[in-house]
Amino acid sequence: MANLTFCGAAGTVTGSCSKLITKNAKFLVDCGLFQGNKTTVALNYEPFPFNPKEMEFMILTHGHIDHTGLVPKLVNQGFNGPIYATQTTIELLDYLLRDGASIQESNAKRKNKKNQRRGLPLIEPLYTQKDAEAALALLKPVKYEEWFSPAKNIQVRYWNAGHILGSASAEMTVSNECENGHTLRLLFSGDIGPDEKVFHPEPDAPEGFDYIVCESTYGNRKRADYTLEGRRDALKKELVDGLARGGNVVIPSFAVERSQELLHDIGVIIKQGALKGATVYLDSPLAKKVTEIFIKHARKLDDLELSPDDLFQGDRFRLIESVDESKRLNQVPSKAIIISASGMCDAGRIQHHLKANIWRPECTVLLVGYQSPGTLGSLIQKGIKDIRIHGKEFKLRAQVRRLGNYSAHADQSELLDWIMERSPIVGGLFLNHGENDSRETLKGILADKGIDKERIYIPHFNESFELLASEAVSKGRDPNQRGMDKIPTFDWNNQYAAFGLELVNKLESAASNEERSKILNTIHNALAGHTES
Ligand SMILES: [Zn+2]
């Protein structure tokens, strides 16, 4: 019987990593970075809950950093086996892992400056360029829908997951694993894309499994129905209205997939004759490199409304790499559509473009992605008027607009359809890569649809299961577990930031200085009371 442990992405959407131990091999499916609040990020620095040297190979589902971002650390700690991935995932990782390493190196440098001033010990980066390169050297390309055998008695086959370029679900058979010689059939969904998505066909995989591990990011979210055309029309309206205000339109965007979807759709809108006189800038060195991979594979992309030769190209588009060119963009007063990373505005060149544009009422900030609580993007989304960027205060006077239909994830009904199409599921269905609300909601609906509730598992962080031929038995948490059994989605740092905002708002809206003083006295007394108790 095989043993499956959820080393990440259980009760949360980051740090995806599942460990499998079979009679013949020990291996991992994904090894992602934990992202979010400080408590979650701190998990990246804890030792792995297994010995990396003992892991014999790895199956990667796709390039996103929450599925691959700890691979260089794993290699640094002694993992030396082949890492299987699709060819395009490997091409993306060539940039993503190097970019991840330079972020880790500069984070460590910045922290060490602070630590030096405070007389605290210096820290090492989570991993370095050298580790990223060592990880890249282990990557082995595999084709969709072709079996390969990474170890004795184990066969693996990738299926299109429709999530991002190169994304896959991994089907797996483990033969001679159970007492009666039963062959275990497993399926790891990876992240699943929506049905309506430019570039990729709908997600696909066979039916009939013993066990399925399925993501549940949007297990509790129903998107309004949309077509690619309808979504494009909504984008067109925002861009036309935005430019008509007489300023620029700034769009924070993820470098992989979202930026290219926007460029494609804007290309179609320009072809329709709209956005006259406007220039579209993609200002992110990483997004530029990723866009070049899309251009390379343009002929294989699905649902294109443009000729592959025109994709992201032409005299209305500028893909910016140099710092000087990026800085010059800050002087452009109007008619610029600026797409830049990061998608949640918490780092990268987007911050410079926000500094140049958010205080101008004729400009527009168009949000096209999820803004995690506490990020600069979430403050802009809330319409907070006083924004701090790079230590300076800015008044938010630009129009803030939002488009909700750009997502690389299947929503609730699409997840349900994908799961139902995979049935029968004999042993059990594990819901991972989702917050607990999402997983519970999805479990309830699946039970209503006739899937045995007893066989829908909501694994805890670090929980292990024995996969028998007909049912999974929880073995509890791995004894080498990292500190906690539940990753908090809202930790004390989030609470502190929210409290700070609430306090500023209360003080600003108070009727008089006496009132303000009263508020502060109340807090002061509460703190004194707390210390004494
Ligand atoms: Zn993903």
Side-chain angles (χ1 to χ4, degrees):
M1 100 211 84
N3 181 288
L4 169 65
T5 307
F6 293 88
C7 306
T12 177
V13 295
T14 66
S16 209
C17 180
S18 303
K19 180 185 71 172
L20 266 150
I21 301 177
T22 69
K23 270 186 201 160
N24 289 298
K26 294 178 179 176
F27 61 97
L28 300 174
V29 178
D30 291 338
C31 189
L33 196 73
F34 289 97
Q35 297 168 298
N37 57 43
K38 288 187 181 170
T39 313
T40 309
V41 169
L43 287 167
N44 294 317
Y45 294 87
E46 290 201 26
F48 287 107
F50 47 77
N51 182 352
K53 289 181 187 148
E54 287 179 6
M55 296 299 121
E56 290 153 62
F57 63 92
M58 191 182 331
I59 303 290
L60 286 186
T61 60
H62 65 290
H64 271 153
I65 226 68
D66 60 323
H67 291 253
T68 60
L70 281 185
V71 175
K73 176 181 164 177
L74 191 79
V75 173
N76 174 288
Q77 315 247 308
F79 173 82
N80 195 28
I83 303 172
Y84 298 96
T86 62
Q87 177 61 34
T88 31
T89 295
I90 291 176
E91 289 175 30
L92 288 173
L93 285 177
D94 194 27
Y95 297 120
L96 292 173
L97 292 188
R98 287 177 213 275
D99 185 68
S102 67
I103 291 171
Q104 295 303 337
E105 284 175 351
S106 63
N107 280 355
K109 216 166 156 184
R110 204 181 55 238
K111 267 188 204 145
N112 282 341
K113 259 190 192 167
K114 240 190 219 173
N115 285 1
Q116 246 169 344
R117 277 202 310 270
R118 293 173 180 174
L120 296 170
L122 300 186
I123 58 154
E124 289 289 324
L126 189 59
Y127 52 82
T128 62
Q129 288 294 341
K130 216 174 124 211
D131 300 325
E133 269 157 41
L136 290 168
L138 297 174
L139 287 164
K140 297 258 175 302
V142 282
K143 291 199 168 100
Y144 283 108
E145 299 185 29
E146 277 186 20
W147 288 105
F148 61 98
S149 179
K152 192 181 164 201
N153 291 342
I154 300 177
Q155 300 276 328
V156 180
R157 182 163 63 158
Y158 279 141
W159 292 89
N160 164 50
H163 170 61
I164 62 163
L165 194 67
S167 67
S169 300
E171 179 189 7
M172 215 172 277
T173 64
V174 188
S175 47
N176 286 323
E177 191 62 21
C178 305
E179 284 108 52
N180 57 2
H182 178 79
T183 294
L184 274 181
R185 281 193 80 198
L186 313 173
L187 179 65
F188 289 82
S189 71
D191 285 355
I192 301 170
D195 292 344
E196 279 288 307
K197 187 159 183 337
V198 77
F199 303 145
H200 314 299
E202 277 182 35
D204 191 18
E207 58 192 49
F209 287 93
D210 293 302
Y211 293 97
I212 295 182
V213 177
C214 184
E215 70 121 328
S216 44
T217 313
Y218 287 149
N220 60 354
R221 184 179 150 181
K222 285 183 222 159
R223 239 188 322 259
D225 275 345
Y226 68 95
T227 59
L228 294 180
E229 206 182 352
R231 184 174 74 179
R232 214 147 38 222
D233 286 344
L235 175 66
K236 182 176 173 178
K237 184 174 176 346
E238 293 299 342
L239 295 177
V240 168
D241 291 355
L243 294 176
R245 284 181 201 114
N248 299 318
V249 178
V250 179
I251 312 179
S253 170
F254 301 114
V256 184
E257 196 82 13
R258 185 70 41 85
S259 291
Q260 294 75 31
E261 283 182 288
L262 288 167
L263 287 177
H264 168 270
D265 282 2
I266 295 171
V268 177
I269 294 166
I270 288 176
K271 208 173 119 192
Q272 291 167 351
L275 311 177
K276 287 215 162 53
T279 307
V280 184
Y281 299 90
L282 176 69
D283 183 22
S284 152
L286 178 63
K288 179 176 184 276
K289 286 176 180 133
V290 171
T291 303
E292 284 159 1
I293 299 177
F294 273 76
I295 291 173
K296 184 178 156 196
H297 294 283
R299 278 168 215 290
K300 286 185 252 162
L301 298 175
D302 209 51
D303 280 329
L304 290 186
E305 291 287 327
L306 296 170
S307 134
D309 297 325
D310 294 342
L311 198 58
F312 321 131
Q313 295 170 91
D315 54 2
R316 307 286 294 280
F317 291 91
R318 304 262 190 286
L319 308 188
I320 296 180
E321 192 160 3
S322 86
V323 175
D324 284 348
E325 209 182 333
S326 173
K327 281 185 179 163
R328 276 202 297 278
L329 196 47
N330 292 332
Q331 309 304 321
V332 176
S334 62
K335 293 198 165 73
I337 297 169
I338 304 166
I339 303 169
S340 186
S342 73
M344 298 192 202
C345 314
D346 43 358
R349 291 185 179 177
I350 186 67
Q351 295 195 330
H352 295 280
H353 300 304
L354 290 171
K355 277 160 75 178
N357 292 284
I358 58 166
W359 51 274
R360 300 173 56 210
E362 67 274 27
C363 290
T364 304
V365 180
L366 180 58
L367 299 172
V368 291
Y370 173 70
Q371 306 297 323
S372 169
T375 57
L376 177 56
S378 75
L379 301 182
I380 293 173
Q381 185 172 305
K382 275 188 195 158
I384 305 286
K385 291 293 167 215
D386 295 299
I387 298 281
R388 278 181 84 82
I389 309 174
H390 299 151
K392 289 192 182 123
E393 295 268 348
F394 294 84
K395 280 274 175 231
L396 174 60
R397 291 204 185 95
Q399 288 280 325
V400 178
R401 305 286 304 162
R402 199 171 149 59
L403 273 179
N405 282 337
Y406 281 89
S407 173
H409 279 278
D411 76 348
Q412 186 185 71
S413 64
E414 290 162 335
L415 280 172
L416 286 170
D417 289 347
W418 186 90
I419 293 168
M420 296 314 285
E421 283 162 18
R422 306 285 85 79
S423 56
I425 306 164
V426 181
L429 169 69
F430 294 95
L431 298 178
N432 78 336
H433 201 285
E435 287 173 5
N436 287 338
D437 282 359
S438 260
R439 301 196 292 170
E440 291 291 353
T441 307
L442 197 59
K443 178 176 176 174
I445 302 173
L446 284 163
D448 292 344
K449 283 195 174 271
I451 295 195
D452 182 358
K453 213 171 182 170
E454 301 298 314
R455 290 179 194 274
I456 306 174
Y457 302 91
I458 296 193
H460 290 284
F461 182 42
N462 289 319
E463 192 176 10
S464 288
F465 292 83
E466 272 180 9
L467 306 182
L468 308 176
S470 58
E471 60 164 346
V473 178
S474 173
K475 304 308 273 181
R477 289 164 57 189
D478 193 298
N480 299 315
Q481 63 204 284
R482 287 169 280 199
M484 57 186 92
D485 67 346
K486 196 167 176 280
I487 300 168
T489 46
F490 198 79
D491 73 351
W492 74 267
N493 293 288
N494 299 124
Q495 224 178 335
Y496 178 53
F499 171 75
L501 276 176
E502 197 186 337
L503 179 61
V504 169
N505 287 339
K506 263 265 185 298
L507 291 174
E508 276 185 359
S509 60
S512 63
N513 284 342
E514 285 73 27
E515 190 64 32
R516 292 184 183 100
S517 187
K518 227 164 128 186
I519 293 168
L520 290 170
N521 275 334
T522 310
I523 297 169
H524 175 79
N525 291 338
L527 286 176
H530 187 79
T531 320
E532 282 156 19
S533 62

